[in-house]
Amino acid sequence: MKDTLQPGLTHRFTFRIPETKTVPHLYRESDMFQAMPQVLATGYLVGLMEWAALETIRPHLDWPREQSLGTMVNFTHLAATPPGLTVTIDVRVDKVEGRKISFTLSAHDGIDKISEGTHERVLIDATKFNTKVADKLQRTR
């Protein structure tokens, strides 16, 4: 982590919502999801908020050796967003405590505020992390 990763950093992230990020695409195995409206799925919204937080800190990491993983999400999903609208996410780094980074985020689709909340990520050494995951997988065999 570089010295520049400090509380108060902000970033604005935008993403145009494609049809493939709607509820019916979340789990194709679920008949219930298939019958639901084609609007941004909450699962994809969470991933989008994580992506925005990651883009906020990536310039301040020794990427790709140093990465971060989400450890807590606390977001509302306030309004439906149909495909074709662009979501704008405003991110602020609130705390940097060792390897843990805390964020506040809010998202708007150009018409409505669609989400707000907090998020935490933890910095990892990608090689060490991947080795631990491989070891865990080996124990299942």
Side-chain angles (χ1 to χ4, degrees):
M1 168 175 60
K2 299 175 184 173
D3 292 343
T4 55
L5 182 51
Q6 297 290 323
L9 284 173
T10 61
H11 182 68
R12 179 167 278 176
F13 181 82
T14 59
F15 183 77
R16 187 171 187 269
I17 303 301
E19 186 177 312
T20 58
K21 300 301 183 230
T22 61
V23 178
H25 292 270
L26 189 58
Y27 279 100
R28 291 197 171 272
E29 302 86 353
S30 169
D31 292 339
M32 291 179 291
F33 281 144
Q34 297 308 302
M36 294 179 78
Q38 289 207 12
V39 295
L40 176 62
T42 302
Y44 288 124
L45 173 63
V46 169
L48 192 58
M49 300 287 263
E50 286 198 84
W51 184 9
L54 183 54
E55 289 290 349
T56 303
I57 63 172
R58 183 172 58 166
H60 308 279
L61 303 179
D62 181 17
W63 186 270
R65 182 192 62 77
E66 189 174 44
Q67 298 179 13
S68 72
L69 296 173
T71 56
M72 189 279 295
V73 294
N74 183 21
F75 303 124
T76 58
H77 195 166
L78 303 168
T81 302
L85 295 186
T86 296
V87 171
T88 300
I89 303 171
D90 288 308
V91 184
R92 183 183 71 234
V93 174
D94 292 327
K95 294 180 190 172
V96 179
E97 300 170 315
R99 296 184 313 121
K100 184 171 82 170
I101 305 160
S102 302
F103 304 84
T104 298
L105 300 94
S106 65
H108 198 281
D109 66 11
I111 298 170
D112 294 310
K113 178 185 270 191
I114 64 165
S115 184
E116 61 186 356
T118 58
H119 178 44
E120 290 180 358
R121 301 187 71 77
V122 171
L123 298 180
I124 62 161
D125 177 295
T127 301
K128 288 179 184 178
F129 185 87
N130 290 331
T131 298
K132 286 181 183 180
V133 171
D135 290 347
K136 184 175 185 174
L137 186 58
Q138 278 291 42
R139 289 193 305 257
T140 65
R141 295 180 180 168

